[in-house]
Amino acid sequence: IRQRDAELHALREGKMRILKQELVIRELETQKDEWAQEKKQRDQADEINQENMNNQLAALTKELKDTKDLMAAQANENAAMQNAKQQMESELKDTMKKLETTTLQLKHERVQSTHNLDKAKHDVEELRKEYMKVQDENKKALVDLETNMREGAEQKKQSMVIDELTRENDELHRL
Protein backbone atom coordinates (compact mmCIF):
# COMPACT_ATOMS: atom_id res chain seq x y z
CA ILE A 1 0.00 0.00 0.00
CA ARG A 2 2.84 2.38 0.85
CA GLN A 3 4.52 1.59 -2.41
CA ARG A 4 1.24 2.17 -4.24
CA ASP A 5 0.71 5.42 -2.31
CA ALA A 6 4.27 6.46 -3.21
CA GLU A 7 3.62 5.63 -6.87
CA LEU A 8 0.33 7.54 -6.80
CA HIS A 9 2.12 10.46 -5.18
CA ALA A 10 4.80 10.31 -7.88
CA LEU A 11 2.08 10.21 -10.55
CA ARG A 12 0.35 13.22 -9.01
CA GLU A 13 3.67 15.10 -8.97
CA GLY A 14 4.19 14.11 -12.59
CA LYS A 15 0.74 15.41 -13.48
CA MET A 16 1.49 18.65 -11.63
CA ARG A 17 4.69 19.04 -13.62
CA ILE A 18 2.75 18.40 -16.80
CA LEU A 19 0.15 21.01 -15.85
CA LYS A 20 2.92 23.48 -15.05
CA GLN A 21 4.57 22.77 -18.39
CA GLU A 22 1.28 23.27 -20.21
CA LEU A 23 0.89 26.58 -18.39
CA VAL A 24 4.39 27.59 -19.46
CA ILE A 25 3.54 26.63 -23.05
CA ARG A 26 0.38 28.77 -22.94
CA GLU A 27 2.37 31.68 -21.53
CA LEU A 28 4.97 31.30 -24.28
CA GLU A 29 2.25 31.26 -26.93
CA THR A 30 0.75 34.41 -25.41
CA GLN A 31 4.19 36.02 -25.36
CA LYS A 32 4.71 35.03 -28.99
CA ASP A 33 1.42 36.71 -29.94
CA GLU A 34 2.42 39.83 -28.01
CA TRP A 35 5.80 39.92 -29.76
CA ALA A 36 4.12 39.52 -33.13
CA GLN A 37 1.82 42.46 -32.32
CA GLU A 38 4.77 44.59 -31.17
CA LYS A 39 6.66 43.73 -34.34
CA LYS A 40 3.65 44.71 -36.41
CA GLN A 41 3.45 48.05 -34.59
CA ARG A 42 7.18 48.65 -35.08
CA ASP A 43 6.87 47.79 -38.78
CA GLN A 44 4.00 50.28 -39.12
CA ALA A 45 6.06 52.96 -37.34
CA ASP A 46 9.00 52.18 -39.65
CA GLU A 47 6.76 52.58 -42.69
CA ILE A 48 5.54 55.95 -41.41
CA ASN A 49 9.12 57.06 -40.71
CA GLN A 50 10.19 55.91 -44.18
CA GLU A 51 7.32 57.86 -45.74
CA ASN A 52 8.29 60.97 -43.75
CA MET A 53 11.90 60.63 -44.89
CA ASN A 54 10.74 60.22 -48.49
CA ASN A 55 8.65 63.38 -48.13
CA GLN A 56 11.63 65.26 -46.72
CA LEU A 57 13.83 64.00 -49.53
CA ALA A 58 11.23 65.09 -52.09
CA ALA A 59 11.10 68.55 -50.50
CA LEU A 60 14.90 68.82 -50.62
CA THR A 61 14.91 67.63 -54.22
CA LYS A 62 12.33 70.29 -55.11
CA GLU A 63 14.40 72.92 -53.33
CA LEU A 64 17.47 71.82 -55.28
CA LYS A 65 15.51 71.99 -58.55
CA ASP A 66 14.25 75.46 -57.63
CA THR A 67 17.84 76.52 -56.96
CA LYS A 68 18.92 75.17 -60.36
CA ASP A 69 16.02 76.97 -62.01
CA LEU A 70 17.04 80.15 -60.21
CA MET A 71 20.60 79.67 -61.44
CA ALA A 72 19.32 79.14 -65.00
CA ALA A 73 17.27 82.32 -64.66
CA GLN A 74 20.41 84.06 -63.42
CA ALA A 75 22.29 82.84 -66.48
CA ASN A 76 19.57 84.32 -68.70
CA GLU A 77 19.86 87.55 -66.79
CA ASN A 78 23.61 87.50 -67.41
CA ALA A 79 22.96 87.31 -71.16
CA ALA A 80 20.65 90.29 -70.87
CA MET A 81 23.38 92.14 -68.98
CA GLN A 82 25.78 91.56 -71.84
CA ASN A 83 23.29 93.20 -74.19
CA ALA A 84 22.92 96.10 -71.77
CA LYS A 85 26.73 96.46 -71.73
CA GLN A 86 26.68 97.34 -75.37
CA GLN A 87 24.09 100.03 -74.68
CA MET A 88 25.49 101.62 -71.56
CA GLU A 89 28.97 101.20 -70.01
CA SER A 90 28.09 102.88 -66.73
CA GLU A 91 25.12 100.57 -66.05
CA LEU A 92 27.36 97.59 -66.57
CA LYS A 93 29.43 98.25 -63.43
CA ASP A 94 26.37 98.49 -61.16
CA THR A 95 24.76 95.47 -62.78
CA MET A 96 27.95 93.38 -62.46
CA LYS A 97 28.13 94.15 -58.74
CA LYS A 98 24.54 93.01 -58.32
CA LEU A 99 25.26 89.93 -60.40
CA GLU A 100 28.29 88.97 -58.29
CA THR A 101 26.31 89.38 -55.08
CA THR A 102 23.45 87.29 -56.43
CA THR A 103 25.83 84.63 -57.71
CA LEU A 104 27.48 84.37 -54.30
CA GLN A 105 24.08 84.05 -52.69
CA LEU A 106 23.11 81.37 -55.18
CA LYS A 107 26.36 79.50 -54.56
CA HIS A 108 25.75 79.75 -50.84
CA GLU A 109 22.18 78.49 -51.29
CA ARG A 110 23.42 75.66 -53.53
CA VAL A 111 26.05 74.67 -50.93
CA GLN A 112 23.38 74.83 -48.23
CA SER A 113 21.00 72.71 -50.33
CA THR A 114 23.75 70.17 -50.97
CA HIS A 115 24.53 70.10 -47.27
CA ASN A 116 20.83 69.61 -46.44
CA LEU A 117 20.57 66.80 -48.99
CA ASP A 118 23.69 65.09 -47.56
CA LYS A 119 22.24 65.42 -44.06
CA ALA A 120 18.95 63.92 -45.22
CA LYS A 121 20.81 61.02 -46.84
CA HIS A 122 22.74 60.48 -43.62
CA ASP A 123 19.52 60.56 -41.58
CA VAL A 124 17.91 58.03 -43.94
CA GLU A 125 20.96 55.77 -43.56
CA GLU A 126 20.81 56.04 -39.76
CA LEU A 127 17.11 55.13 -39.83
CA ARG A 128 17.87 52.19 -42.12
CA LYS A 129 20.56 50.98 -39.70
CA GLU A 130 18.16 51.31 -36.76
CA TYR A 131 15.50 49.42 -38.72
CA MET A 132 17.99 46.63 -39.50
CA LYS A 133 19.01 46.48 -35.82
CA VAL A 134 15.37 46.17 -34.72
CA GLN A 135 14.80 43.56 -37.39
CA ASP A 136 17.82 41.55 -36.14
CA GLU A 137 16.53 41.78 -32.57
CA ASN A 138 13.14 40.53 -33.73
CA LYS A 139 14.79 37.61 -35.53
CA LYS A 140 16.74 36.70 -32.38
CA ALA A 141 13.59 36.87 -30.27
CA LEU A 142 11.78 34.65 -32.76
CA VAL A 143 14.61 32.09 -32.65
CA ASP A 144 14.48 32.12 -28.83
CA LEU A 145 10.73 31.65 -28.94
CA GLU A 146 11.02 28.76 -31.37
CA THR A 147 13.65 27.13 -29.13
CA ASN A 148 11.37 27.52 -26.12
CA MET A 149 8.46 26.05 -28.08
CA ARG A 150 10.61 23.05 -29.12
CA GLU A 151 11.62 22.50 -25.50
CA GLY A 152 7.95 22.68 -24.47
CA ALA A 153 7.06 20.11 -27.14
CA GLU A 154 9.80 17.80 -25.83
CA GLN A 155 8.43 18.16 -22.31
CA LYS A 156 4.94 17.39 -23.59
CA LYS A 157 6.27 14.23 -25.26
CA GLN A 158 7.85 13.22 -21.95
CA SER A 159 4.57 13.82 -20.14
CA MET A 160 2.76 11.67 -22.72
CA VAL A 161 5.26 8.85 -22.06
CA ILE A 162 4.70 9.29 -18.32
CA ASP A 163 0.92 9.11 -18.87
CA GLU A 164 1.32 5.94 -20.95
CA LEU A 165 3.53 4.38 -18.29
CA THR A 166 1.02 5.38 -15.62
CA ARG A 167 -1.81 3.74 -17.57
CA GLU A 168 0.25 0.58 -18.01
CA ASN A 169 1.14 0.62 -14.31
CA ASP A 170 -2.54 1.05 -13.41
CA GLU A 171 -3.45 -1.89 -15.65
CA LEU A 172 -0.72 -3.99 -14.04
CA HIS A 173 -2.04 -3.07 -10.59
CA ARG A 174 -5.56 -4.00 -11.62
CA LEU A 175 -4.31 -7.39 -12.84
Side-chain angles (χ1 to χ4, degrees), residues 59-70:
L60 289 172
T61 303
K62 184 187 180 307
E63 185 179 336
L64 183 61
K65 183 191 175 297
D66 291 345
T67 301
K68 286 180 180 179
D69 291 345
L70 188 60

Side-chain angles (χ1 to χ4, degrees), residues 11 21 23-24 35 42 44 48-49 54 59-60 65 71 79-80 95 97-98 118 138 143 147-148 151 164:
L11 288 174
Q21 290 169 354
L23 180 61
V24 168
W35 286 346
R42 283 193 299 271
Q44 289 172 347
I48 290 169
N49 288 339
N54 289 342
L60 289 172
K65 183 191 175 297
M71 289 176 66
T95 303
K97 288 179 183 178
K98 290 177 186 177
D118 289 344
N138 286 344
V143 167
T147 301
N148 288 340
E151 290 173 1
E164 184 62 30

Side-chain angles (χ1 to χ4, degrees), residues 9-23:
H9 182 70
L11 288 174
R12 285 186 192 116
E13 286 181 357
K15 284 184 180 181
M16 287 303 292
R17 283 194 299 269
I18 289 168
L19 291 174
K20 286 179 184 178
Q21 290 169 354
E22 288 175 351
L23 180 61

Side-chain angles (χ1 to χ4, degrees), residues 54-137:
N54 289 342
N55 291 341
Q56 290 175 355
L57 185 59
L60 289 172
T61 303
K62 184 187 180 307
E63 185 179 336
L64 183 61
K65 183 191 175 297
D66 291 345
T67 301
K68 286 180 180 179
D69 291 345
L70 188 60
M71 289 176 66
Q74 186 63 44
N76 291 338
E77 185 179 321
N78 287 344
M81 293 294 172
Q82 291 299 327
N83 291 336
K85 178 182 177 183
Q86 294 171 358
Q87 294 174 3
M88 299 177 67
E89 253 332 285
S90 64
E91 284 185 6
L92 175 63
K93 292 178 183 177
D94 294 336
T95 303
M96 289 304 290
K97 288 179 183 178
K98 290 177 186 177
L99 177 62
E100 288 173 7
T101 302
T102 304
T103 302
L104 287 175
Q105 288 173 346
L106 288 173
K107 285 180 181 178
H108 175 70
E109 289 174 6
R110 182 177 36 163
V111 167
Q112 189 64 35
S113 294
T114 303
H115 173 71
N116 290 343
L117 182 59
D118 289 344
K119 185 178 182 322
K121 286 178 182 177
H122 175 72
D123 291 344
V124 166
E125 183 62 25
E126 290 297 318
L127 282 174
R128 186 190 67 74
K129 287 177 184 176
E130 184 65 26
Y131 175 75
M132 295 305 284
K133 179 181 173 186
V134 168
Q135 196 171 35
D136 287 343
E137 290 172 2

Side-chain angles (χ1 to χ4, degrees), residues 161-173:
V161 169
I162 290 171
D163 287 344
E164 184 62 30
L165 291 173
T166 302
R167 276 188 238 110
E168 289 175 12
N169 193 21
D170 289 343
E171 287 176 17
L172 287 174
H173 280 288

